[in-house]
Amino acid sequence: MSWTTKKIVDQLTNVVEPSRIKIDTNDLQFYGNDWSNIGEPNPSAIVFPTSVKEVQAIVNLANKLNFPLVPSGGRTGLSGGALAKDKELVVSFDRMNKILDFNKSDALVTCQPGVVTGVLKDFAKLKGLFYPVDFASVGSSQVGGNAATNAGGVNVLRYGMTRDWIGGIKVVTGTGELLDLNRGLKKNATGFDFRHLFIGSEGTLGLIVELTVELTRPPKHLNVMLMGLKNIEHTTQALALFKEKLDLTAFEFFSDTAMRKVLEGKSLRNPFDHIYPFYVLVEFESYTEVQVNVASELFEMFIDSGYAAEGVLSQNLRQAGELWEFREGITESIASYKPFKSDISCRVSQTPAFLSSLEKTLSGFDPKIETVLFGHLGDGNIHINLLKPIHMDSEEFREVCKIISKSIFNLVKSFGGSISAEHGIGLTKKPYLNYSRDEAELNYMRGVKRLFDPKNIMNPGKLIDL
């Protein structure tokens, strides 16, 4: 190690105000970690830039002294992508949290990376528009981090991932160069679109310092239906029919174990007479009574045909919110079990076959380890949560889950799926990246990393090794 904390801090005081450099133990622990909690944070210091020029100066200093940087947003990631464990300098974007510009004609908002996702959503609402990227951590995640991980969420079926809403992006590369990419253009056929290299790169190529985000019109008159199903095959049949007839904004699913946990954890009343093997939650937009009538007809058809055993259709916004709670309350309800999480994806049409194979795969392991399944079925994203038995040691549970994960990822590979649908790779899934990417792709990824970050100072050790 050619640097020391004292040397870094001394040099940083020439770049930013000393009050924006933190070396207190509590700050190091807080800003050096993320929600994955897979290791002990051990950064050298935390620095809080307030401008693009300061970010460039920090990167240039890192190149000069050859010390590594870890970007820090809302630290809500689950893959260890924001964990600083090897005396890195953490670059926190908490102070770069301003909305810089808004153009209603273009429906574009320009903001700094530290803007909290929920704040951006509220800003869009004030302007009569809508930012559709939505997930559980919108109240604390930051827009820069969303872009760095290409965050997804519950609205991907209708609106796509974060990538689909980034009209322009400014980044400081690993060499300290500032790139202004695409500049909010709708059409730009001028060769490589480097914007998309940095979206989803997890801070390994450079630091995102500004984003131009597209907004859209808000959905109107959202309705929700919840149905209990006996057979997993009926989920994709329902999806195909509902997509054909209605403008869906979400199509979610969860398992019987998930329902039991959320009923218990949230003290909710079961809306049905029984617990069913699977549930689907459908949200759709109704412009007129026509869409409501179509939805009612589909709903009755699914009940009458036996595809759904029971169901309920919201009659107002309050009831819609209550039905969403059965899906959105799952994560909170299982938190006390310290779940080992995986998020995978496969083609939507393959979901029933994948889930059937997954059930067989998991049946070969300790039956005391419960599995909670839920996810965004409309885009093929399944969240697999393994719950720690009360009397099992945490370390033993973690080791067993690693073995189970290999079996799950082998299954994903056989389906041509992805080992990470929306949580990224970071540290936790880096050993398994070859399950989704072949060696040729990995070599090109290493080449891109070397091009933009030749000294390997940008979040080293994450996503891919050189």
Side-chain angles (χ1 to χ4, degrees):
M1 186 183 297
S2 59
W3 70 92
T4 64
T5 297
K6 184 179 185 307
K7 190 172 183 180
I8 292 174
V9 171
D10 285 347
Q11 294 289 320
L12 279 175
T13 56
N14 298 320
V15 175
V16 301
E17 297 174 3
S19 63
R20 289 190 275 116
I21 305 168
K22 304 292 185 184
I23 57 172
D24 178 81
T25 300
N26 290 335
D27 288 324
L28 297 179
Q29 291 288 310
F30 181 73
Y31 288 100
N33 208 354
D34 61 16
W35 284 3
S36 66
N37 289 313
I38 60 168
E40 188 66 24
N42 185 34
S44 290
I46 318 297
V47 64
F48 298 85
T50 59
S51 69
V52 174
K53 286 186 177 180
E54 286 186 349
V55 174
Q56 284 186 279
I58 291 167
V59 173
N60 288 332
L61 182 61
N63 274 286
K64 178 183 175 182
L65 300 181
N66 198 31
F67 61 80
L69 303 173
V70 172
S72 175
R75 300 170 301 284
T76 59
L78 296 169
S79 65
L83 173 64
K85 63 183 182 65
D86 295 317
K87 305 300 288 185
E88 304 98 330
L89 174 66
V90 172
V91 183
S92 171
F93 288 97
D94 280 8
R95 308 284 181 93
M96 293 180 69
N97 59 359
K98 295 181 176 62
I99 290 177
L100 303 173
D101 189 36
F102 170 69
N103 187 296
K104 185 148 187 149
S105 297
D106 294 326
L108 292 174
V109 57
T110 300
C111 64
Q112 293 180 311
V115 171
V116 171
T117 314
V119 171
L120 177 60
K121 292 176 75 68
D122 290 342
F123 178 85
K125 188 175 181 180
L126 283 173
K127 300 299 182 180
L129 295 167
F130 182 56
Y131 180 57
V133 178
D134 198 7
F135 37 80
S137 62
V138 292
S140 50
S141 69
Q142 296 177 3
V143 180
N146 296 168
T149 56
N150 191 28
V154 297
N155 288 336
V156 171
L157 172 64
R158 170 75 173 273
Y159 297 105
M161 306 280 280
T162 297
R163 178 186 306 281
D164 300 293
W165 297 93
I166 305 300
I169 190 170
K170 288 183 181 180
V171 295
V172 175
T173 71
T175 63
E177 292 176 285
L178 177 65
L179 301 181
D180 187 1
L181 305 173
N182 197 60
R183 301 181 297 282
L185 298 173
K186 270 290 187 185
K187 285 188 173 182
N188 185 4
T190 55
F192 303 130
D193 191 344
F194 291 138
R195 166 184 45 157
H196 291 296
L197 279 177
F198 289 89
I199 298 171
S201 66
E202 303 183 31
T204 60
L205 304 180
L207 302 178
I208 296 170
V209 293
E210 188 177 293
L211 305 101
T212 299
V213 181
E214 296 183 37
L215 306 179
T216 189
R217 72 162 183 85
K220 297 178 181 178
H221 308 296
L222 292 175
N223 298 268
V224 174
M225 64 177 72
L226 180 68
M227 297 184 292
L229 281 64
K230 293 182 180 179
N231 297 310
I232 187 59
E233 290 79 9
H234 293 157
T235 58
T236 48
Q237 293 167 343
L239 174 61
L241 194 55
F242 279 108
K243 280 180 69 175
E244 180 184 348
K245 302 292 185 180
L246 295 169
D247 287 329
L248 300 186
T249 54
F251 192 94
E252 302 286 297
F253 97 105
F254 52 98
S255 64
D256 52 354
T257 308
M259 176 60 101
R260 289 190 177 93
K261 297 303 181 186
V262 79
L263 290 175
E264 176 186 347
K266 303 288 287 185
S267 299
L268 300 177
R269 184 180 64 84
N270 190 344
F272 304 134
D273 293 332
H274 304 282
I275 297 288
Y276 294 101
F278 296 97
Y279 297 84
V280 293
L281 182 144
V282 186
E283 183 183 74
F284 63 95
E285 191 173 9
S286 57
Y287 314 104
T288 66
E289 282 297 314
V290 173
Q291 286 81 28
V292 177
N293 292 335
V294 169
S296 297
E297 291 170 5
L298 290 174
F299 179 77
E300 291 172 6
M301 187 195 78
F302 263 78
I303 297 294
D304 293 342
S305 66
Y307 283 180
E310 287 190 76
V312 58
L313 177 62
S314 67
Q315 301 300 310
N316 51 52
L317 286 175
R318 179 184 59 80
Q319 289 182 3
E322 290 172 351
L323 292 177
W324 261 111
E325 196 166 0
F326 291 103
R327 164 62 182 87
E328 291 185 325
I330 296 171
T331 298
E332 181 183 346
S333 298
I334 63 176
S336 62
Y337 293 88
K338 302 186 185 306
F340 188 94
K341 298 172 177 284
S342 283
D343 80 302
I344 63 89
S345 69
C346 60
R347 290 190 182 186
V348 174
S349 61
Q350 294 177 321
T351 304
F354 177 85
L355 288 172
S356 296
S357 298
L358 178 64
E359 183 179 14
K360 294 175 184 175
T361 297
L362 295 176
S363 66
F365 294 96
D366 191 337
K368 295 192 293 294
I369 298 178
E370 292 184 284
T371 303
V372 169
L373 301 174
F374 63 89
H376 321 302
L377 199 68
D379 52 63
N381 181 189
I382 302 164
H383 294 282
I384 305 168
N385 298 264
L386 305 175
L387 307 188
K388 187 180 83 66
I390 295 175
H391 301 297
M392 183 177 285
D393 175 75
S394 295
E395 186 59 35
E396 178 189 357
F397 175 65
R398 195 158 32 244
E399 291 304 313
V400 171
C401 287
K402 287 180 181 179
I403 296 171
I404 297 175
S405 290
K406 287 185 178 180
S407 295
I408 293 173
F409 295 151
N410 272 316
L411 182 62
V412 171
K413 184 177 182 179
S414 72
F415 276 80
S418 170
I419 63 166
S420 181
E422 59 182 3
H423 289 170
I425 297 298
L427 288 170
T428 60
K429 290 189 175 180
K430 187 176 68 172
Y432 312 106
L433 187 55
N434 64 329
Y435 286 67
S436 290
R437 296 294 190 102
D438 62 30
E439 192 57 33
E441 288 181 288
L442 294 174
N443 281 331
Y444 278 115
M445 289 173 71
R446 294 183 187 105
V448 171
K449 168 72 169 170
R450 293 188 189 99
L451 176 65
F452 287 101
D453 181 28
K455 288 192 174 182
N456 194 28
I457 64 169
M458 290 294 179
N459 217 5
K462 315 294 172 50
L463 182 57
I464 192 167
D465 288 323
L466 294 180

